[in-house]
Amino acid sequence: MARVFNFSAGPATLPESVLAQVRDDMLDWQGSGMSVMEMSHRGPEFVSIAEQATQDLRTLLAVPDNYRILFLQGGATAQFAGVPLNLPGDRADYIVTGNWGKKAHKEAGKYLDARVAATGDDGFTSIPAQSDWDLDAASRYVHITPNETIQGVEFPNDPDLGSDVPLVADMSSNFLSRPVDVSRYGVIYAGAQKNAGPAGICMVIVRDDLLGHAAPATPMVLDWQAQLEADSMLNTPSCFAWYVCGLVFRWLLDNGGLETMAATNARKASRLYDFIDQSDFYRNPVDPAARSRMNVPFLLADDGLDKTFLSEAGEAGLSSLKGHRSVGGMRASIYNAMPEAGVEALIDFMRDFEQRNG
């Protein structure tokens, strides 16, 4: 078996050691005589898996004691509605910096007055300075998308609102890629399929004072307080995805935690951006101050070569490099589990392709 370097934006590559553990556990998890996919979510075996995963995530992110962690279904997209339903009010401010921020804003507009308090340029290639945000002091919360998977823009740091208005963040595509000051946020939510595990589960980290306020019409599976009281098992959870997430959390802890991961991710991104910047054949359209460390879009000088590039890259074992249809070109997603060797292999291919076609 020859594994490719998988640059998919999600579902994304997972650590090989985690996949090997999943393989070894598949028929018999730790002598239980059954797979995690078969065991009851109420049984002691799975309860121990869930509890360990929750504790390891709390450790990784240094989650303060006054925050709860939920593992919910529906991905991050379900929380586009879950946020305004659990934090009901007359209005909320949205900082829209890409496609996922647009989707979150549109969905929230069904439940309250969702204001666009700031947005990027027409192509979403930059992050508006916080000093330019038109925030309403009466808003229920401020929502941001710290990393936009499609456009490849990322907030350079954790914003500090300096007010009592909760900051809410959809961290799906840079979750666990670096340390985060959780105390600056009222709510953090993230789909697992970028950095944390397989698709099908979403982690919600919510401050205690923001629980218990859900609108009466909130579906019970989206009610954070109800899910907390049921240990995220109000209905049968995504057991297998939760288990794999737990293995990824352990892998991160065993490999130096988020400080080490942040340094590795910075090296990978810097290496790829530096190569692109010194080339006349490739171009990254994003403001250097807002470049994502996770998702690197790039364009060829001659887009007529795009299909050839993708075909030859695939033959070279470099998979899923096609850019999103709304942006075009290429996109290399270099999440935590993408080894540095994968980035080097991509650069080597890009250099060779340029020499042959430039």
Side-chain angles (χ1 to χ4, degrees), residues 315-347:
E315 293 172 1
L318 307 171
S319 175
S320 305
L321 283 165
K322 186 176 181 179
H324 190 271
R325 60 186 178 275
S326 66
V327 175
M330 313 300 157
R331 175 179 52 180
S333 293
I334 49 176
Y335 299 121
N336 288 347
M338 173 57 65
E340 293 185 72
V343 175
E344 291 300 328
L346 173 59
I347 291 171

mmCIF file of all heavy atoms in Angstrom, residues 315-347:
data_model
loop_
_atom_site.group_PDB
_atom_site.id
_atom_site.type_symbol
_atom_site.label_atom_id
_atom_site.label_comp_id
_atom_site.label_asym_id
_atom_site.label_seq_id
_atom_site.Cartn_x
_atom_site.Cartn_y
_atom_site.Cartn_z
ATOM 1 N N GLU A 315 -0.398 11.890 -10.222
ATOM 2 C CA GLU A 315 0.508 10.799 -10.581
ATOM 3 C C GLU A 315 1.733 10.774 -9.674
ATOM 4 O O GLU A 315 2.334 9.717 -9.455
ATOM 5 C CB GLU A 315 0.936 10.940 -12.041
ATOM 6 C CG GLU A 315 -0.203 10.727 -13.033
ATOM 7 C CD GLU A 315 0.202 11.070 -14.455
ATOM 8 O OE1 GLU A 315 1.380 11.458 -14.661
ATOM 9 O OE2 GLU A 315 -0.644 10.950 -15.361
ATOM 10 N N ALA A 316 2.084 11.941 -9.137
ATOM 11 C CA ALA A 316 3.238 12.045 -8.237
ATOM 12 C C ALA A 316 2.865 11.773 -6.778
ATOM 13 O O ALA A 316 3.702 11.919 -5.881
ATOM 14 C CB ALA A 316 3.861 13.433 -8.360
ATOM 15 N N GLY A 317 1.601 11.384 -6.528
ATOM 16 C CA GLY A 317 1.186 11.064 -5.164
ATOM 17 C C GLY A 317 0.777 12.268 -4.349
ATOM 18 O O GLY A 317 0.757 12.205 -3.111
ATOM 19 N N LEU A 318 0.424 13.360 -5.027
ATOM 20 C CA LEU A 318 -0.022 14.586 -4.357
ATOM 21 C C LEU A 318 -1.499 14.758 -4.683
ATOM 22 O O LEU A 318 -1.869 15.131 -5.794
ATOM 23 C CB LEU A 318 0.788 15.783 -4.838
ATOM 24 C CG LEU A 318 2.315 15.637 -4.756
ATOM 25 C CD1 LEU A 318 3.003 16.794 -5.454
ATOM 26 C CD2 LEU A 318 2.776 15.536 -3.308
ATOM 27 N N SER A 319 -2.351 14.509 -3.708
ATOM 28 C CA SER A 319 -3.786 14.392 -3.944
ATOM 29 C C SER A 319 -4.564 15.614 -3.470
ATOM 30 O O SER A 319 -4.169 16.306 -2.525
ATOM 31 C CB SER A 319 -4.322 13.150 -3.207
ATOM 32 O OG SER A 319 -5.714 13.048 -3.303
ATOM 33 N N SER A 320 -5.702 15.871 -4.158
ATOM 34 C CA SER A 320 -6.718 16.834 -3.701
ATOM 35 C C SER A 320 -6.206 18.268 -3.645
ATOM 36 O O SER A 320 -6.437 18.997 -2.682
ATOM 37 C CB SER A 320 -7.262 16.419 -2.327
ATOM 38 O OG SER A 320 -7.759 15.103 -2.358
ATOM 39 N N LEU A 321 -5.547 18.689 -4.708
ATOM 40 C CA LEU A 321 -4.984 20.038 -4.770
ATOM 41 C C LEU A 321 -5.863 21.022 -5.537
ATOM 42 O O LEU A 321 -5.523 22.201 -5.630
ATOM 43 C CB LEU A 321 -3.592 19.998 -5.415
ATOM 44 C CG LEU A 321 -2.460 19.495 -4.511
ATOM 45 C CD1 LEU A 321 -1.232 19.137 -5.336
ATOM 46 C CD2 LEU A 321 -2.112 20.531 -3.453
ATOM 47 N N LYS A 322 -6.977 20.575 -6.063
ATOM 48 C CA LYS A 322 -7.831 21.471 -6.827
ATOM 49 C C LYS A 322 -8.447 22.518 -5.915
ATOM 50 O O LYS A 322 -8.999 22.208 -4.860
ATOM 51 C CB LYS A 322 -8.937 20.694 -7.541
ATOM 52 C CG LYS A 322 -9.788 21.552 -8.472
ATOM 53 C CD LYS A 322 -10.809 20.713 -9.227
ATOM 54 C CE LYS A 322 -11.636 21.572 -10.174
ATOM 55 N NZ LYS A 322 -12.625 20.768 -10.942
ATOM 56 N N GLY A 323 -8.400 23.785 -6.345
ATOM 57 C CA GLY A 323 -8.982 24.863 -5.556
ATOM 58 C C GLY A 323 -10.495 24.809 -5.569
ATOM 59 O O GLY A 323 -11.112 24.159 -6.421
ATOM 60 N N HIS A 324 -11.106 25.492 -4.611
ATOM 61 C CA HIS A 324 -12.559 25.545 -4.563
ATOM 62 C C HIS A 324 -13.092 26.229 -5.822
ATOM 63 O O HIS A 324 -12.468 27.153 -6.354
ATOM 64 C CB HIS A 324 -13.009 26.311 -3.319
ATOM 65 C CG HIS A 324 -14.473 26.226 -3.053
ATOM 66 N ND1 HIS A 324 -15.378 27.121 -3.579
ATOM 67 C CD2 HIS A 324 -15.206 25.342 -2.308
ATOM 68 C CE1 HIS A 324 -16.602 26.811 -3.175
ATOM 69 N NE2 HIS A 324 -16.524 25.727 -2.401
ATOM 70 N N ARG A 325 -14.252 25.792 -6.290
ATOM 71 C CA ARG A 325 -14.797 26.303 -7.555
ATOM 72 C C ARG A 325 -15.008 27.808 -7.529
ATOM 73 O O ARG A 325 -14.967 28.465 -8.574
ATOM 74 C CB ARG A 325 -16.114 25.597 -7.884
ATOM 75 C CG ARG A 325 -17.203 25.785 -6.843
ATOM 76 C CD ARG A 325 -18.433 24.938 -7.162
ATOM 77 N NE ARG A 325 -19.457 25.073 -6.140
ATOM 78 C CZ ARG A 325 -19.490 24.362 -5.013
ATOM 79 N NH1 ARG A 325 -18.532 23.476 -4.777
ATOM 80 N NH2 ARG A 325 -20.460 24.541 -4.131
ATOM 81 N N SER A 326 -15.238 28.398 -6.369
ATOM 82 C CA SER A 326 -15.478 29.840 -6.297
ATOM 83 C C SER A 326 -14.194 30.648 -6.385
ATOM 84 O O SER A 326 -14.237 31.870 -6.595
ATOM 85 C CB SER A 326 -16.202 30.188 -4.989
ATOM 86 O OG SER A 326 -15.370 29.928 -3.867
ATOM 87 N N VAL A 327 -13.054 29.989 -6.226
ATOM 88 C CA VAL A 327 -11.764 30.679 -6.246
ATOM 89 C C VAL A 327 -10.924 30.245 -7.439
ATOM 90 O O VAL A 327 -10.213 31.040 -8.051
ATOM 91 C CB VAL A 327 -10.995 30.421 -4.925
ATOM 92 C CG1 VAL A 327 -9.606 31.032 -4.981
ATOM 93 C CG2 VAL A 327 -11.780 30.965 -3.737
ATOM 94 N N GLY A 328 -11.007 28.957 -7.780
ATOM 95 C CA GLY A 328 -10.212 28.423 -8.871
ATOM 96 C C GLY A 328 -8.797 28.105 -8.449
ATOM 97 O O GLY A 328 -8.433 28.162 -7.263
ATOM 98 N N GLY A 329 -7.971 27.769 -9.407
ATOM 99 C CA GLY A 329 -6.582 27.474 -9.121
ATOM 100 C C GLY A 329 -6.405 26.247 -8.252
ATOM 101 O O GLY A 329 -7.134 25.266 -8.362
ATOM 102 N N MET A 330 -5.425 26.325 -7.374
ATOM 103 C CA MET A 330 -5.060 25.216 -6.506
ATOM 104 C C MET A 330 -5.223 25.615 -5.034
ATOM 105 O O MET A 330 -5.274 26.799 -4.705
ATOM 106 C CB MET A 330 -3.599 24.812 -6.740
ATOM 107 C CG MET A 330 -3.220 24.659 -8.194
ATOM 108 S SD MET A 330 -4.199 23.413 -9.045
ATOM 109 C CE MET A 330 -4.009 23.968 -10.736
ATOM 110 N N ARG A 331 -5.278 24.621 -4.196
ATOM 111 C CA ARG A 331 -5.300 24.868 -2.754
ATOM 112 C C ARG A 331 -4.627 23.693 -2.065
ATOM 113 O O ARG A 331 -5.035 22.541 -2.240
ATOM 114 C CB ARG A 331 -6.726 25.031 -2.241
ATOM 115 C CG ARG A 331 -6.811 25.161 -0.715
ATOM 116 C CD ARG A 331 -8.236 25.358 -0.243
ATOM 117 N NE ARG A 331 -9.147 24.345 -0.769
ATOM 118 C CZ ARG A 331 -10.439 24.287 -0.503
ATOM 119 N NH1 ARG A 331 -10.984 25.185 0.285
ATOM 120 N NH2 ARG A 331 -11.195 23.338 -1.026
ATOM 121 N N ALA A 332 -3.625 23.992 -1.278
ATOM 122 C CA ALA A 332 -2.951 22.967 -0.477
ATOM 123 C C ALA A 332 -3.351 23.162 0.976
ATOM 124 O O ALA A 332 -3.007 24.174 1.590
ATOM 125 C CB ALA A 332 -1.436 23.080 -0.629
ATOM 126 N N SER A 333 -4.090 22.219 1.510
ATOM 127 C CA SER A 333 -4.457 22.273 2.925
ATOM 128 C C SER A 333 -3.425 21.480 3.708
ATOM 129 O O SER A 333 -3.243 20.285 3.481
ATOM 130 C CB SER A 333 -5.864 21.713 3.130
ATOM 131 O OG SER A 333 -6.818 22.559 2.516
ATOM 132 N N ILE A 334 -2.746 22.167 4.606
ATOM 133 C CA ILE A 334 -1.599 21.571 5.298
ATOM 134 C C ILE A 334 -1.869 21.562 6.800
ATOM 135 O O ILE A 334 -1.169 22.190 7.591
ATOM 136 C CB ILE A 334 -0.288 22.315 4.947
ATOM 137 C CG1 ILE A 334 -0.435 23.837 5.098
ATOM 138 C CG2 ILE A 334 0.107 22.008 3.507
ATOM 139 C CD1 ILE A 334 0.871 24.605 4.848
ATOM 140 N N TYR A 335 -2.896 20.799 7.154
ATOM 141 C CA TYR A 335 -3.316 20.701 8.545
ATOM 142 C C TYR A 335 -2.268 19.977 9.396
ATOM 143 O O TYR A 335 -1.217 19.547 8.900
ATOM 144 C CB TYR A 335 -4.650 19.970 8.627
ATOM 145 C CG TYR A 335 -5.782 20.646 7.887
ATOM 146 C CD1 TYR A 335 -6.464 19.992 6.861
ATOM 147 C CD2 TYR A 335 -6.180 21.944 8.208
ATOM 148 C CE1 TYR A 335 -7.519 20.601 6.184
ATOM 149 C CE2 TYR A 335 -7.225 22.563 7.543
ATOM 150 C CZ TYR A 335 -7.890 21.890 6.523
ATOM 151 O OH TYR A 335 -8.922 22.504 5.854
ATOM 152 N N ASN A 336 -2.575 19.831 10.683
ATOM 153 C CA ASN A 336 -1.627 19.248 11.629
ATOM 154 C C ASN A 336 -1.004 17.945 11.145
ATOM 155 O O ASN A 336 0.191 17.702 11.319
ATOM 156 C CB ASN A 336 -2.331 18.970 12.965
ATOM 157 C CG ASN A 336 -2.638 20.230 13.751
ATOM 158 O OD1 ASN A 336 -2.143 21.303 13.447
ATOM 159 N ND2 ASN A 336 -3.465 20.100 14.765
ATOM 160 N N ALA A 337 -1.829 17.063 10.567
ATOM 161 C CA ALA A 337 -1.349 15.723 10.223
ATOM 162 C C ALA A 337 -0.575 15.680 8.909
ATOM 163 O O ALA A 337 -0.045 14.622 8.547
ATOM 164 C CB ALA A 337 -2.517 14.740 10.163
ATOM 165 N N MET A 338 -0.509 16.788 8.187
ATOM 166 C CA MET A 338 0.322 16.826 6.989
ATOM 167 C C MET A 338 1.789 16.945 7.403
ATOM 168 O O MET A 338 2.194 17.949 7.986
ATOM 169 C CB MET A 338 -0.059 18.014 6.099
ATOM 170 C CG MET A 338 0.881 18.242 4.904
ATOM 171 S SD MET A 338 1.042 16.814 3.796
ATOM 172 C CE MET A 338 -0.635 16.702 3.150
ATOM 173 N N PRO A 339 2.600 15.939 7.125
ATOM 174 C CA PRO A 339 4.007 16.011 7.549
ATOM 175 C C PRO A 339 4.782 17.038 6.731
ATOM 176 O O PRO A 339 4.395 17.401 5.613
ATOM 177 C CB PRO A 339 4.511 14.590 7.279
ATOM 178 C CG PRO A 339 3.642 14.070 6.185
ATOM 179 C CD PRO A 339 2.289 14.684 6.421
ATOM 180 N N GLU A 340 5.867 17.509 7.299
ATOM 181 C CA GLU A 340 6.715 18.445 6.571
ATOM 182 C C GLU A 340 7.218 17.847 5.272
ATOM 183 O O GLU A 340 7.412 18.559 4.275
ATOM 184 C CB GLU A 340 7.869 18.900 7.465
ATOM 185 C CG GLU A 340 7.405 19.745 8.650
ATOM 186 C CD GLU A 340 8.535 20.306 9.487
ATOM 187 O OE1 GLU A 340 9.217 21.243 8.999
ATOM 188 O OE2 GLU A 340 8.744 19.822 10.610
ATOM 189 N N ALA A 341 7.396 16.528 5.266
ATOM 190 C CA ALA A 341 7.839 15.857 4.036
ATOM 191 C C ALA A 341 6.820 16.029 2.919
ATOM 192 O O ALA A 341 7.187 16.087 1.742
ATOM 193 C CB ALA A 341 8.071 14.371 4.308
ATOM 194 N N GLY A 342 5.542 16.116 3.268
ATOM 195 C CA GLY A 342 4.518 16.319 2.266
ATOM 196 C C GLY A 342 4.628 17.688 1.626
ATOM 197 O O GLY A 342 4.456 17.844 0.405
ATOM 198 N N VAL A 343 4.891 18.699 2.430
ATOM 199 C CA VAL A 343 5.060 20.055 1.901
ATOM 200 C C VAL A 343 6.300 20.121 1.020
ATOM 201 O O VAL A 343 6.296 20.740 -0.055
ATOM 202 C CB VAL A 343 5.139 21.073 3.055
ATOM 203 C CG1 VAL A 343 5.440 22.468 2.517
ATOM 204 C CG2 VAL A 343 3.828 21.081 3.838
ATOM 205 N N GLU A 344 7.369 19.482 1.447
ATOM 206 C CA GLU A 344 8.586 19.461 0.631
ATOM 207 C C GLU A 344 8.346 18.748 -0.692
ATOM 208 O O GLU A 344 8.844 19.178 -1.746
ATOM 209 C CB GLU A 344 9.723 18.791 1.403
ATOM 210 C CG GLU A 344 10.229 19.596 2.583
ATOM 211 C CD GLU A 344 10.780 20.957 2.176
ATOM 212 O OE1 GLU A 344 11.334 21.084 1.065
ATOM 213 O OE2 GLU A 344 10.640 21.908 2.971
ATOM 214 N N ALA A 345 7.574 17.646 -0.667
ATOM 215 C CA ALA A 345 7.271 16.925 -1.904
ATOM 216 C C ALA A 345 6.460 17.806 -2.849
ATOM 217 O O ALA A 345 6.669 17.788 -4.076
ATOM 218 C CB ALA A 345 6.526 15.640 -1.591
ATOM 219 N N LEU A 346 5.528 18.589 -2.304
ATOM 220 C CA LEU A 346 4.734 19.493 -3.128
ATOM 221 C C LEU A 346 5.621 20.567 -3.744
ATOM 222 O O LEU A 346 5.516 20.866 -4.951
ATOM 223 C CB LEU A 346 3.630 20.137 -2.289
ATOM 224 C CG LEU A 346 2.809 21.232 -2.971
ATOM 225 C CD1 LEU A 346 2.121 20.704 -4.223
ATOM 226 C CD2 LEU A 346 1.787 21.823 -2.004
ATOM 227 N N ILE A 347 6.494 21.159 -2.970
ATOM 228 C CA ILE A 347 7.383 22.195 -3.484
ATOM 229 C C ILE A 347 8.291 21.642 -4.575
ATOM 230 O O ILE A 347 8.499 22.281 -5.626
ATOM 231 C CB ILE A 347 8.204 22.809 -2.335
ATOM 232 C CG1 ILE A 347 7.292 23.615 -1.409
ATOM 233 C CG2 ILE A 347 9.331 23.683 -2.869
ATOM 234 C CD1 ILE A 347 7.958 24.085 -0.132
#
